[in-house]
Amino acid sequence: LARAAPQLQELLLSGNRLRALPGGLLPPAGSPAPFPLLSRLDAADNEVAELGADIAALPALKSLDVANNQLRELPAALADCPRLKEANFRGNQLRDKRLEKMVNGCQTKAILEYLRAGGRGKGKVENAREEVRKKKREKQQKKDNGDVEQDEVEEASKLLVKVLHVSENPAPLVVKVSPGVKDVRAFIVCCVLKGVNLKPGNALKKFLTMQTKLHEDICEKRTVATIATHDLQLVKAPLTYDVQPPDELKIMPLGRKEIKAKDLLHQLQLEAEEQRKQKKRQNISGLHKYLQLLDGKDNYPCLVDAEGAVISFPPITNSDKTKIRKETRDLFLEVTSDTSLQICKDVMDTLILKIAELNRSTLENKEGSGSDMELDALCGSGNLNLPLVVEQVRVVDMDGNLKVLYPSKTDLATVSSLLTVIR
């Protein structure tokens, strides 16, 4: 490590059960920086118990990921890292519960400001609730006086989405596509969406209901496209969009045990017949409506993770392995179709808009809670208008040639009247 020091720019140490960062990486304060070019340090999913103040000895550090470790405190010296722009501290049981809340809901800048101010009870924190109340009073006053121009109100009410380009992302997600999908279900568009909040009340239930409605409406009962949503933290990249024979494709469907695709379809068919008899109806409900979409196919489409597990079997079901939970903050979104690429993009545009609307609604309904008001003030989101971040995902062929990049410059245009996209 020492020999590579002057040139080292990225150090990836995640998932190694490390109890501490390697010796010599962070020298005592005052010593010359041994890694002058190190801009990315990824030590997530280890057992690191302490992050020392000497972290500031990395002058070029831009991206720090120490998620899912055993940190109890974050050093104030993090605020002295001159170039630190992205930091992930999630999944650590921090003593300062306010700080723990911030690392799950705020941008890096707000977290560093909090650490710079000395943490609990200091700086911005002291008057957080009063700040929120003050902003609400001022806003109401302006409305009463008629000072706010209509176009300003409309612009402020727009939902914000920030696009993170592949070139700016230290670890962009890539999906490889096998040639076999061409004859089965040729088109796929993917992206990552970060910063959703599904914890309060029935937010998760609303999210799932929204997805069902999109399948019924814009996806035309899944006949033109199918949506799949996954918890990004549970997705093991890289991913491959592939085909497998019905008696080989295995998946753990939502709420069921692992089963072969052929047996799953047979099981669903029997359930549909039974349901029809019991209710004495002609109509079929639930997943059973989509079984005919695979009629006559020798192979079935599937999205496979790095461990060989099928996480999606369109148009039938997702896998329980990557199921969305209340704790989910970051999503991997996937839209597939056997009709056209443009339909995939249009559906994805609408899906992002609907998630942004749900997120805004959830935040507004939370505003009455003291601790959440305080967090909004800490994060600098008095108007509850922090952008969701959409990370571009490249879909490539097996040789690495680009097939689709979403969102590109022309994407999200269909929802531009309701969405402000920061590119």
Side-chain angles (χ1 to χ4, degrees), residues 11-18 20-22 25 40-48 51 63-71 88 92:
L11 186 56
L12 310 180
L13 304 168
S14 60
N16 282 299
R17 297 186 180 174
L18 298 176
L21 295 175
L25 178 64
R40 178 187 173 199
L41 175 57
D42 183 348
D45 303 302
N46 282 296
E47 297 168 15
V48 177
L51 199 60
S63 173
L64 173 66
D65 190 347
V66 285
N68 304 317
N69 276 280
Q70 294 177 10
L71 298 173
N88 185 1
N92 288 289

Side-chain angles (χ1 to χ4, degrees), residues 242-255:
D242 203 356
V243 291
Q244 293 181 14
D247 55 351
E248 288 181 22
L249 195 162
K250 284 183 181 177
I251 188 168
M252 189 182 291
L254 293 167

Side-chain angles (χ1 to χ4, degrees), residues 56-353:
L58 296 172
L61 189 64
K62 288 183 183 176
S63 173
L64 173 66
D65 190 347
V66 285
N68 304 317
N69 276 280
Q70 294 177 10
L71 298 173
R72 301 287 286 150
E73 293 179 353
L74 297 179
L78 278 165
D80 298 325
C81 291
R83 299 194 177 185
L84 189 59
K85 293 285 186 287
E86 293 178 22
N88 185 1
F89 306 112
R90 292 176 188 164
N92 288 289
Q93 301 295 314
L94 300 174
R95 285 196 185 94
D96 184 340
K97 293 305 167 189
R98 186 180 282 121
L99 179 58
E100 187 170 298
K101 201 168 198 180
M102 286 185 72
V103 304
N104 286 319
C106 293
Q107 294 180 338
T108 301
K109 185 179 177 183
I111 296 166
L112 296 181
E113 280 179 9
Y114 179 80
L115 292 171
R116 186 178 284 115
R120 181 181 289 282
K122 295 189 181 177
K124 242 177 159 182
V125 181
E126 286 176 357
N127 301 312
R129 293 184 189 183
E130 185 52 39
E131 276 295 312
V132 174
R133 291 192 194 106
K134 186 179 171 187
K135 282 182 182 178
K136 282 184 76 178
R137 282 200 302 270
E138 286 173 358
K139 194 174 177 183
Q140 190 58 48
Q141 214 170 2
K142 281 184 179 179
K143 275 187 181 176
D144 294 344
N145 295 338
D147 292 339
V148 182
E149 295 293 331
Q150 187 61 33
D151 57 347
E152 285 180 7
V153 174
E154 285 175 7
E155 191 59 37
S157 67
K158 272 192 176 185
L159 299 148
L160 292 180
V161 168
K162 183 181 188 317
V163 175
L164 181 68
H165 296 261
V166 168
S167 59
E168 301 165 343
N169 190 345
L173 204 147
V174 177
V175 177
K176 284 190 172 183
V177 176
S178 80
V181 302
K182 189 180 177 185
D183 303 321
V184 180
R185 195 175 186 84
F187 307 104
I188 183 168
V189 166
C190 304
C191 70
V192 166
L193 187 63
K194 291 191 168 180
V196 299
N197 187 357
L198 300 172
K199 270 190 177 180
N202 59 353
L204 178 59
K205 187 179 178 184
K206 284 183 177 176
F207 176 89
L208 298 173
T209 302
M210 170 272 295
Q211 196 173 324
T212 302
K213 282 183 180 174
L214 288 179
H215 271 146
E216 289 294 308
D217 301 335
I218 191 170
C219 296
E220 296 179 25
K221 294 184 167 53
R222 301 198 196 189
T223 55
V224 297
T226 305
I227 295 163
T229 56
H230 309 266
D231 184 327
L232 180 67
Q233 207 171 17
L234 304 174
V235 172
K236 306 293 182 189
L239 300 171
T240 306
Y241 184 46
D242 203 356
V243 291
Q244 293 181 14
D247 55 351
E248 288 181 22
L249 195 162
K250 284 183 181 177
I251 188 168
M252 189 182 291
L254 293 167
R256 297 173 184 249
K257 293 178 180 176
E258 188 177 67
I259 189 171
K260 287 181 180 178
K262 181 182 175 184
D263 298 332
L264 174 63
L265 263 61
H266 181 63
Q267 203 176 82
L268 291 171
Q269 195 64 55
L270 292 176
E271 287 174 14
E273 294 300 330
E274 187 60 35
Q275 195 180 72
R276 211 159 19 185
K277 284 176 189 172
Q278 283 180 3
K279 296 189 176 179
K280 296 180 181 176
R281 286 182 183 173
Q282 290 300 311
N283 295 338
I284 305 175
S285 62
L287 290 176
H288 316 111
K289 291 180 285 190
Y290 313 124
L291 301 182
Q292 79 279 3
L293 299 176
L294 291 171
D295 283 353
K297 305 281 187 189
D298 294 329
N299 289 302
Y300 291 166
C302 55
L303 193 63
V304 184
D305 72 7
E307 297 172 345
V310 172
I311 64 168
S312 175
F313 168 29
I316 305 299
T317 183
N318 288 11
S319 168
D320 212 64
K321 183 179 178 183
T322 56
K323 183 171 71 175
I324 305 282
R325 305 159 299 165
K326 268 185 173 288
E327 296 74 28
T328 301
R329 296 279 307 173
D330 303 331
L331 307 174
F332 173 67
L333 306 178
E334 156 212 345
V335 177
T336 59
S337 171
D338 61 359
T339 307
S340 81
L341 182 63
Q342 191 55 49
I343 281 171
C344 288
K345 290 187 166 199
D346 292 347
V347 170
M348 187 69 88
D349 288 356
T350 307
L351 176 62
I352 290 170
L353 171 66

